[in-house]
Amino acid sequence: MKRTGYLKPLQHQLSDPIHYELKVDEHTISLNEHLGKEMEIQFLDELTCQFCGRKTKKFYGGNSACFSCFKNLPDNDICIIKPELCHFHEGTCRDGSFAEHHCMSTHIVYLALSSEIKVGITRKNNHIRRWIDQGAVQALPIMEVPTRKDAGDAETFLAQFIKDKTNWRKMLKNEVSDANLYQTRKELIGKLPKHFQQFVLPEMEIYHFNYPQIEVPDKIKSLSFNKEQAIRGRLIGVKAQYLLFDTGVFQVRKHTGYKVSVSI
């Protein structure tokens, strides 16, 4: 099978294990059934902005954006990465309608276990996708807050006591802490300021995730088109937004907008 087009982020469906698909333009490649097979992804020297669709010589801001979209679109504002810096209330938002839909909506503050336990945030009803994209094997909500800024403020506060980043190398090697999510949640709730207590959710069951993988990489070597023209190897697993090969690991979302030829 050979498909040519622009890479999109990995698509997935909740199942046991997670079902993954590689998207190349409108072509869909089911990855689970190709575990153990040789695969090649060749870069064809073209980049397209994922927002406006125009060709560009380089991407800006780590989000597959051309310069104009990076500078002007709300999707690429600083508060997307650091929601506690939301400036909607100051009247300086790049796009008020975007903010109403994306930021002035209910968000969940959660714990996820990918390597060690970390705290994170996501829009309500986006939580499953978010946890899978992070390679979480377990997840547990803590709070439900009315805006993205509220979520960012809560995350910033809780990050004083627990990590807010995933160790992606440990995550891909399945080096997972045996820490208890329920106990950690209880301890963190006890530290929350009074104005956050009203948003705490009743205790819920832990979400569990299993990923398609036939081998664990001995060593994590990052594969990128910044270093090589083609990525080749035997596909041994898929986790988060990574393809795991016997030759290294390839972060698909990072390469959104790259024109490629995929052979499998």
Side-chain angles (χ1 to χ4, degrees):
M1 179 192 301
K2 187 171 185 178
R3 296 288 185 264
T4 299
Y6 294 95
L7 269 182
K8 297 182 180 181
L10 288 175
Q11 304 295 302
H12 43 68
Q13 298 173 7
L14 182 60
S15 58
D16 187 14
I18 306 299
H19 179 77
Y20 274 97
E21 294 176 341
L22 181 67
K23 297 281 287 185
V24 182
D25 282 345
E26 299 309 312
H27 303 297
T28 299
I29 301 172
S30 178
L31 293 171
N32 295 48
E33 63 192 62
H34 291 293
L35 290 179
K37 298 180 181 179
E38 294 293 321
M39 183 175 182
E40 178 182 88
I41 308 175
Q42 184 176 5
F43 179 38
L44 301 180
D45 297 314
E46 282 187 23
L47 301 175
T48 296
C49 174
Q50 70 163 318
F51 299 100
C52 68
R54 291 180 296 207
K55 292 182 181 179
T56 180
K57 292 184 178 180
K58 62 179 290 188
F59 288 138
Y60 296 83
N63 202 19
S64 299
C66 67
F67 183 73
S68 176
C69 290
F70 170 67
K71 290 292 291 183
N72 299 313
L73 290 186
D75 313 66
N76 298 304
D77 206 342
I78 184 63
C79 50
I80 296 300
I81 298 174
K82 296 184 176 183
E84 68 276 13
L85 299 182
C86 174
H87 46 96
F88 178 82
H89 59 287
E90 298 175 0
T92 54
C93 182
R94 293 181 179 182
D95 185 335
S97 60
F98 174 90
E100 290 290 350
H101 172 72
H102 187 272
C103 306
M104 303 296 117
S105 61
T106 305
H107 278 62
I108 292 174
V109 182
Y110 63 83
L111 295 177
L113 181 60
S114 302
S115 50
E116 294 85 18
I117 296 180
K118 60 152 284 187
V119 63
I121 70 169
T122 183
R123 292 194 308 279
K124 187 176 181 180
N125 301 324
N126 187 56
H127 52 295
I128 300 296
R129 185 182 71 83
R130 178 67 169 166
W131 294 333
I132 294 174
D133 276 346
Q134 292 182 339
V137 296
Q138 295 181 16
L140 183 64
I142 304 175
M143 306 163 60
E144 191 174 290
V145 297
T147 71
R148 183 173 173 82
K149 186 178 189 309
D150 290 326
D153 288 341
E155 181 185 33
T156 299
F157 176 82
L158 292 174
Q160 300 176 84
F161 312 105
I162 191 168
K163 295 181 179 180
D164 60 352
K165 298 288 188 299
T166 297
N167 185 320
W168 65 275
R169 292 181 182 275
K170 287 186 176 181
M171 178 268 290
L172 293 178
K173 294 188 73 173
N174 297 338
E175 295 178 359
V176 180
S177 165
D178 61 358
N180 186 294
L181 284 182
Y182 285 129
Q183 182 61 34
T184 303
R185 181 184 189 272
K186 181 178 179 181
E187 293 172 358
L188 291 176
I189 288 174
K191 298 178 185 296
L192 284 171
K194 186 176 180 180
H195 65 279
F196 279 132
Q197 294 288 340
Q198 62 182 313
F199 301 122
V200 173
L201 290 164
E203 189 171 284
M204 305 168 66
E205 289 189 10
I206 293 174
Y207 292 78
H208 294 267
F209 305 96
N210 182 29
Y211 297 86
Q213 195 169 351
I214 58 174
E215 295 178 27
V216 177
D218 292 327
K219 186 177 180 180
I220 302 298
K221 176 187 176 184
S222 182
L223 305 174
S224 171
F225 293 137
N226 295 329
K227 303 175 183 177
E228 44 217 322
Q229 193 73 19
I231 309 299
R232 301 181 182 90
R234 184 168 59 91
L235 184 65
I236 62 174
V238 191
K239 193 171 186 181
Q241 280 287 322
Y242 288 87
L243 300 180
L244 281 61
F245 296 102
D246 58 353
T247 54
V249 301
F250 179 71
Q251 221 272 38
V252 178
R253 183 183 295 279
K254 179 181 175 182
H255 292 86
T256 298
Y258 283 68
K259 189 173 184 180
V260 298
S261 174
V262 179
S263 300
I264 192 169

